[in-house]
Amino acid sequence: MTNQRDFLKLQPLTIVVIGGGAAGFFGAIACANANPYARVILLEASRQPLAKVRISGGGRCNVTHACFEAAALVANYPRGGKALRGAFSRFQAKDTISWFANQGVPLKKEADGRMFPVTDSSETIVQCLMNAAEETQVELRTGKQVVSVKQLPSNEFAINLKSGETLKCDRLLLATGSNPIGYKIAKEFGHQIEPPVPSLFTFNIVDPNLRALSGVSMNPVRLRLSVPEQPALEQIGPLLITHWGVSGPAVLKLSAWGARMLHNNRYQATLSINWLPDLQQEQVREKLLAVKNEWGKKAIALHRGVDLPHRLWQYFITRIGISAEDRWAEISNKTLNQIVQEISQGKYLINGKGAFKEEFVTCGGICLKEVNFKTMESKIITGLYFAGEILDIDGITGGFNFQSAWTTAYLAGLAIAEN
């Protein structure tokens, strides 16, 4: 004879996923696929799900990064790398590639390691996730804004919607990204929230002459970011001068590692740029001395002797106070050293941050020590799970933020599916 407890075990699970982004969809699909008898409901506040997937990578969707060793992969996460180490041993970039390939969406690798769909269209990824959700019978409900969640004495969750409707479920996955509702729900359940602040942004530099060089790029440069009473941060890579300051991969990486530090200092900092990091300062000086000796009668503005864009060179000498007519033979050793200093250790004052296109990544979220990274379940509330950017995890640019979303969502989906 079946007793009541056994009968309850036989009842199909009702699972609700809040958040129709990359993590929400992937978690819902993984859950529904692992437990076909479960009822999986995916709630999205807006009318159009997967909005961030659509705009990512300039509309191409940087799905992941070709980095297949967990130890190497975690090095790309300013926050959360340690917690992800074990998670990546169970689902990482190669698994993401295989998953999408099995859905008929092959990915391609670019020279810098970023991976995109071969179609170069984010819509391919959107349709893939939408189709997979439909095939696994995930119930997608758009335009459903959650206002609160309570846990009932039965351990079920009661989800109250703005429409007045209440949904009940056995297990709940929060994949709300940086939306405040996710933090609010988690906090009400007793979770600590690391204050969310922007990550992955460009630097504003108030220097009209530098901004006039908008479009000039250098690869590589070495950047050093300093704020008072904090250890300096360094990064090497491509830099792009813009009409508001500087951008490019090196700047974005530096902004990610310095996100909290910069926020606390109100985005006021000093940026030191070595424009020719492959040369020692003395090597730069020797090259300039060679030009001075050979082209003494020539204008400094027209004969630079080092591998820099002409407009950038002119900016340097103007910044020092050298006129367009000044000749190499006329400059003192002090002035020569000033040029070397500008090239190797030029100082620029950061006065605010810009945006990184429409891709917004936050540093901060649910405290990781309160989450079991084998299952992504809350250590405080049984039946409550987390995935994606709601966690205090963020990666540098290059597909790493999506990879942490796929990984945490997949592990959460498998764990939720278990009876």
Side-chain angles (χ1 to χ4, degrees), residues 218-399:
M218 286 290 290
N219 183 22
V221 300
R222 179 177 282 111
L223 304 179
R224 183 178 173 87
L225 181 69
S226 306
V227 302
E229 299 178 7
Q230 292 289 331
L233 299 173
E234 291 194 1
Q235 197 64 239
I236 191 164
L239 176 139
L240 172 69
I241 300 173
T242 69
H243 61 269
W244 64 83
V246 290
S247 182
V251 169
L252 294 172
K253 289 177 183 178
L254 202 55
S255 77
W257 289 101
R260 184 78 61 191
M261 178 178 83
L262 285 165
H263 176 266
N264 292 343
N265 211 51
R266 299 183 179 182
Y267 301 99
Q268 309 294 307
T270 300
L271 183 67
S272 174
I273 306 179
N274 183 345
W275 297 91
L276 295 173
D278 293 336
L279 297 176
Q280 299 293 327
Q281 262 188 270
E282 192 53 40
Q283 291 176 301
V284 175
R285 193 173 190 280
E286 287 171 4
K287 283 180 175 289
L288 297 181
L289 273 173
V291 177
K292 181 182 178 182
N293 293 334
E294 187 173 352
W295 303 97
K297 295 181 180 180
K298 300 291 184 180
I300 298 170
L302 300 177
H303 290 77
R304 52 193 182 276
V306 285
D307 189 15
L308 291 168
H310 181 64
R311 290 168 63 201
L312 185 60
W313 171 258
Q314 290 188 315
Y315 165 75
F316 290 152
I317 63 173
T318 300
R319 201 173 189 222
I320 293 165
I322 297 171
S323 74
E325 294 78 27
D326 285 345
R327 311 293 172 185
W328 273 107
E330 299 167 356
I331 69 165
S332 64
N333 283 337
K334 181 182 177 181
T335 303
L336 189 75
N337 289 336
Q338 283 181 299
I339 301 174
V340 174
Q341 189 75 8
E342 280 297 324
I343 293 171
S344 301
Q345 294 181 10
K347 297 287 192 296
Y348 303 85
L349 295 179
I350 296 172
N351 183 28
K353 65 176 181 61
F356 176 35
K357 300 181 181 177
E358 296 173 274
E359 298 176 61
F360 186 74
V361 173
T362 55
C363 148
I366 292 165
C367 184
L368 303 185
K369 66 183 179 183
E370 299 170 353
V371 180
N372 178 350
F373 267 74
K374 290 182 179 178
T375 61
M376 303 313 301
E377 186 175 18
S378 164
K379 292 181 180 179
I380 297 172
I381 302 293
T382 301
L384 176 63
Y385 297 76
F386 305 105
E389 202 183 340
I390 189 173
L391 296 157
D392 185 20
I393 294 173
D394 62 287
I396 61 174
T397 181

Side-chain angles (χ1 to χ4, degrees), residues 47-197:
R47 291 291 176 185
Q48 188 180 62
L50 298 165
K52 204 165 183 178
V53 174
R54 281 188 165 88
I55 63 172
S56 72
R60 295 169 63 210
C61 191
N62 184 184
V63 178
T64 187
H65 200 95
C67 182
F68 307 122
E69 295 293 333
L73 197 52
V74 298
N76 296 285
Y77 294 85
R79 285 146 294 272
K82 185 178 179 182
L84 285 170
R85 179 69 182 267
F88 282 150
S89 70
R90 295 187 290 279
F91 191 94
Q92 51 121 305
K94 67 180 179 183
D95 301 299
T96 300
I97 295 165
S98 295
W99 190 90
F100 279 101
N102 289 336
Q103 301 295 318
V105 179
L107 305 181
K108 62 176 181 177
K109 183 180 85 168
E110 302 208 333
D112 59 4
R114 293 180 301 161
M115 299 199 71
F116 296 88
V118 294
T119 59
D120 275 331
S121 172
S122 59
E123 197 59 33
T124 303
I125 303 300
V126 170
Q127 287 306 313
C128 172
L129 293 170
M130 294 283 283
N131 292 341
E134 185 177 355
E135 287 169 8
T136 52
Q137 298 185 322
V138 171
E139 298 176 32
L140 174 61
R141 301 188 188 181
T142 59
K144 299 296 182 181
Q145 191 171 336
V146 175
V147 293
S148 65
V149 178
K150 303 293 181 189
Q151 192 169 34
L152 304 175
S154 62
N155 284 336
E156 289 179 297
F157 295 94
I159 301 155
N160 301 309
L161 305 181
K162 190 176 182 181
S163 62
E165 182 184 359
T166 297
L167 296 176
K168 290 183 180 179
C169 65
D170 302 293
R171 292 168 192 173
L172 176 65
L173 172 58
L174 289 182
T176 47
S178 56
N179 191 307
I181 186 61
Y183 302 137
K184 174 178 176 287
I185 294 167
K187 197 171 182 179
E188 288 173 351
F189 278 126
H191 278 277
Q192 180 183 338
I193 309 297
E194 298 293 339
V197 302

Side-chain angles (χ1 to χ4, degrees), residues 8-36:
L8 289 172
K9 283 184 178 179
L10 294 172
Q11 296 300 298
L13 291 171
T14 297
I15 292 146
V16 169
V17 179
I18 302 177
F25 262 81
F26 212 65
I29 293 163
C31 179
N33 193 52
N35 186 347

